[in-house]
């Protein structure tokens, strides 16, 4: 079991030099690094158990099936889902949201409203644009506030927007650009009052804060394994059982049918109904191990750690000349996005890379939000459980060097 003190030792990738400098990895919003336990689980699976699941009666297939279904039960526990059948394995947040959006596109009609927010990642925005186009439903956005309440959702506007015509309300838990933490329990409650189904994008939150779907009382929740110490190529769509069993599958084929004849087929219930074809067995198992890893540390403690680093980074960065930090000044998730007057984000990231610091620069898949903020791009430093206050010193020194070069 990892302890807080030696957590960095659990991550082999962190112990390397980049451009002759110790790596300072601050691109955790894009993807997190993997602990040894997760890497070992993948190797162990391929070395000992690799087999297709659900079909074979031989020893390896039974072991692989048990491990895959065990991972599903582990993930269910991780998010507080009572029934493992409510956990569908997907490729990640993007696929999870697409599954819900495509399924609802077949059920919505003209006059219905899909509500989302202005702060969504493209993966919780474009699928809803497509669903609206396909169904004739109208897509509306909850505005993001500026000035004093920068980065918060306009909850007063929500009163006006959340009408009985709203059938789906999709929103992010933590913004990947603003770092805003949305009041998700309240949003679910208000959506339920008008009969709307809720879809939470938990990509930036599930590995950073305690999260319980039963307590939130949400209908769907999407996240990616790779942003919570798990492997790439695996993610989850949680769905309330009663709703999943009503939804049509978006992909069909082997593994998801009860019976097939030349005229047609009958679907299995969830989760198999949504997992056509050979699933990503190894990475699902790796994700289960990532859940163990994070729960051993404690997500409340991870959240406090992230929070402290983000506050520290905010305060230190705010001292830099010509900086604009976007998002809330107070309570925020574990990342800071900023722009310097007259310096392009790509230059900031390139200079930081020379100093061994991994940052992200660009629109962060939030183009409409960026446009609203009057920006084309920002630089983002995003933190996780293995980052340290000393790494913020390295970041600040690197940014000062960049500013000296560009601003003189
Ligand atoms: N939703 C949010 C809030 C995200 O931050 C991301 C990825 C996604 C959805 C999509 O996740 P995926 O695993 O399906 O790709 N965000 C980022 C980012 O901020 N930089 O790179 C990827």
């Amino acid at each position: 079991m990892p302890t807080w003190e030696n957590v960095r030792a659990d991550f082999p990738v962190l112990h390397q030099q980049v451009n002759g400098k110790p790596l300072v990895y601050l691109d955790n919003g894009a993807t997190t690094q993997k602990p040894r336990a997760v890497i070992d689980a993948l190797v162990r699976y391929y070395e000992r158990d690799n087999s297709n699941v659900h079909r074979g009666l031989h020893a390896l297939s039974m072991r692989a099936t048990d491990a895959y279904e065990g991972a599903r039960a582990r993930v269910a526990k991780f998010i507080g889902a009572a029934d493992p059948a409510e956990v569908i394995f997907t490729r990640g947040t993007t696929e999870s949201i697409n599954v819900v959006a495509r399924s609802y596109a077949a059920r919505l009609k003209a006059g219905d409203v899909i509500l989302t927010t202005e702060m969504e990642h493209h993966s919780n925005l474009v699928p809803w644009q497509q669903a609206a186009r396909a169904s004739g439903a109208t897509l509306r956005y909850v505005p993001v506030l500026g000035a004093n309440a920068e980065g918060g959702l306009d909850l007063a506007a929500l009163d006006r927007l959340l009408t009985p015509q709203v059938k789906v309300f999709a929103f992010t838990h933590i913004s990947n650009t603003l770092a805003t933490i949305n009041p998700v329990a309240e949003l679910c409650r208000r959506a339920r009052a008008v009969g709307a189904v809720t879809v939470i994008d938990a990509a930036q939150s599930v590995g950073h804060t305690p999260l319980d779907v039963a307590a939130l009382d949400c209908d769907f929740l999407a996240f990616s394994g790779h942003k919570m110490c798990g492997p790439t190529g695996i993610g989850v769509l949680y769905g309330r059982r009663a709703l999943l069993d009503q939804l049509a599958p978006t992909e069909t084929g082997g593994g998801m049918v009860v019976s097939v004849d030349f005229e047609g087929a009958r679907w299995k219930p969830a989760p198999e109904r949504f997992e056509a074809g050979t699933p990503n067995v190894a990475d699902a198992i790796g994700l289960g191990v990532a859940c163990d890893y994070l729960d051993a540390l404690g997500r409340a403690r991870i959240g406090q750690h992230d929070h402290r680093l983000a506050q520290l980074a905010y305060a230190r960065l705010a001292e830099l000349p010509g900086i604009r930090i976007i998002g809330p000044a107070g309570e925020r998730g574990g990342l800071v996005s900023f722009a310097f007057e007259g310096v392009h984000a790509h230059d900031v990231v390139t200079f930081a890379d020379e100093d061994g610091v991994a940052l992200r620069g660009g629109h962060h898949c939030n183009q409409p939000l960026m446009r609203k903020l009057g920006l084309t791009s920002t630089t983002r430093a995003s933190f996780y459980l293995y980052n340290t206050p000393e790494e913020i010193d390295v970041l600040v020194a690197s940014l000062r060097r960049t500013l000296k070069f560009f601003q003189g």
Side-chain angles (χ1 to χ4, degrees):
M1 185 181 293
T3 62
W4 199 250
E5 292 66 35
N6 62 17
V7 85
R8 285 182 71 83
D10 295 334
F11 292 82
V13 80
L14 295 177
H15 308 282
Q16 62 174 298
Q17 304 242 314
V18 167
N19 295 322
K21 308 278 170 49
L23 170 64
V24 173
Y25 186 79
L26 299 179
D27 195 15
N28 296 287
T31 200
T32 62
Q33 298 302 344
K34 321 303 172 198
R36 171 68 70 197
V38 169
I39 299 167
D40 286 351
L42 297 178
V43 173
R44 209 166 43 239
Y45 172 75
Y46 283 121
E47 286 186 349
R48 289 197 334 212
D49 301 331
N50 177 53
S51 185
N52 211 328
V53 291
H54 297 151
R55 310 169 191 205
L57 292 174
H58 59 82
L60 265 59
S61 178
M62 286 189 274
R63 284 211 301 261
T65 304
D66 284 351
Y68 182 64
E69 292 306 325
R72 194 190 305 283
R74 182 65 190 89
V75 170
K77 189 162 157 246
F78 189 71
I79 58 169
D83 182 354
E86 295 181 316
V87 169
I88 294 158
F89 284 123
T90 64
R91 277 192 297 119
T93 311
T94 302
E95 187 183 355
S96 297
I97 295 170
N98 271 279
V99 167
V100 185
R102 264 185 270 139
S103 296
Y104 272 88
R107 298 162 65 91
L108 297 175
K109 55 183 186 329
D112 290 340
V113 173
I114 301 168
L115 187 61
T116 184
T117 86
E118 288 181 347
M119 70 169 74
E120 300 308 313
H121 186 278
H122 292 166
S123 65
N124 198 26
L125 197 158
V126 183
W128 298 115
Q129 291 178 337
Q130 296 297 99
R133 213 158 274 154
S135 63
T138 304
L139 179 60
R140 297 218 169 96
Y141 298 92
V142 182
V144 168
L145 294 164
N148 298 330
E150 185 168 289
L153 286 179
D154 185 347
L155 296 177
L158 190 60
D159 283 334
R160 194 166 32 76
L161 287 166
L162 209 47
T163 62
Q165 282 70 45
V166 177
K167 300 299 176 223
V168 179
F169 183 21
F171 48 85
T172 192
H173 189 177
I174 298 182
S175 159
N176 67 315
T177 298
L178 296 167
T180 310
I181 305 172
N182 284 322
V184 277
E186 180 189 343
L187 297 180
C188 287
R189 188 166 40 75
R190 289 173 68 172
R192 208 172 322 109
V194 297
V197 157
T198 48
V199 183
I200 302 181
D201 175 350
Q204 296 291 344
S205 65
V206 72
H208 295 256
T209 182
L211 189 156
D212 185 305
V213 290
L216 290 177
D217 207 10
C218 61
D219 295 305
F220 296 98
L221 181 116
F223 59 94
S224 302
H226 71 94
K227 292 189 201 283
M228 50 164 282
C229 290
T232 52
I234 189 79
V236 167
L237 172 63
Y238 159 82
R240 198 189 284 281
R241 185 72 199 254
L243 291 175
L244 285 179
D245 286 342
Q246 289 169 19
L247 288 189
T250 49
E251 282 197 351
T252 54
M256 51 76 70
V257 285
V258 181
S259 68
V260 185
D261 56 31
F262 286 122
E263 280 68 49
R266 286 194 306 123
W267 319 136
K268 283 185 183 164
E272 285 86 1
R273 174 194 299 230
F274 299 98
E275 293 184 3
T278 300
N280 185 350
V281 182
D283 295 320
I285 294 167
L287 177 58
V289 175
C291 293
D292 288 339
Y293 185 84
L294 296 181
D295 277 348
L297 280 174
R299 270 179 288 166
R301 288 173 72 215
I302 293 170
Q304 282 161 11
H305 181 79
D306 278 2
H307 190 100
R308 196 166 62 93
L309 290 177
Q311 294 297 334
L312 180 62
Y314 191 102
R316 296 285 307 282
L317 293 180
E319 292 167 0
L320 297 175
I323 196 167
R324 174 178 170 197
I325 303 177
I326 62 168
E331 176 89 6
R332 56 162 48 226
L335 61 94
V336 183
S337 285
F338 51 93
F340 289 114
E341 194 150 357
V343 191
H344 196 280
H346 287 171
D347 290 326
V348 178
V349 174
T350 303
F351 269 60
D353 185 54
E354 289 172 3
D355 295 327
V357 182
L359 300 174
R360 183 145 296 239
H363 54 63
H364 313 293
C365 297
N366 287 115
Q367 280 181 12
L369 174 69
M370 285 286 165
R371 230 166 270 133
K372 176 165 175 160
L373 296 174
L375 294 163
T376 52
S377 61
T378 65
T379 305
R380 184 184 68 188
S382 50
F383 306 101
Y384 207 24
L385 49 92
Y386 35 71
N387 291 123
T388 65
E390 292 71 33
E391 290 182 313
I392 294 174
D393 295 339
V394 179
L395 167 67
V396 171
S398 174
L399 295 176
R400 285 198 186 280
R401 184 175 77 85
T402 309
L403 291 178
K404 198 150 178 243
F405 183 89
F406 285 97
Q407 295 179 340

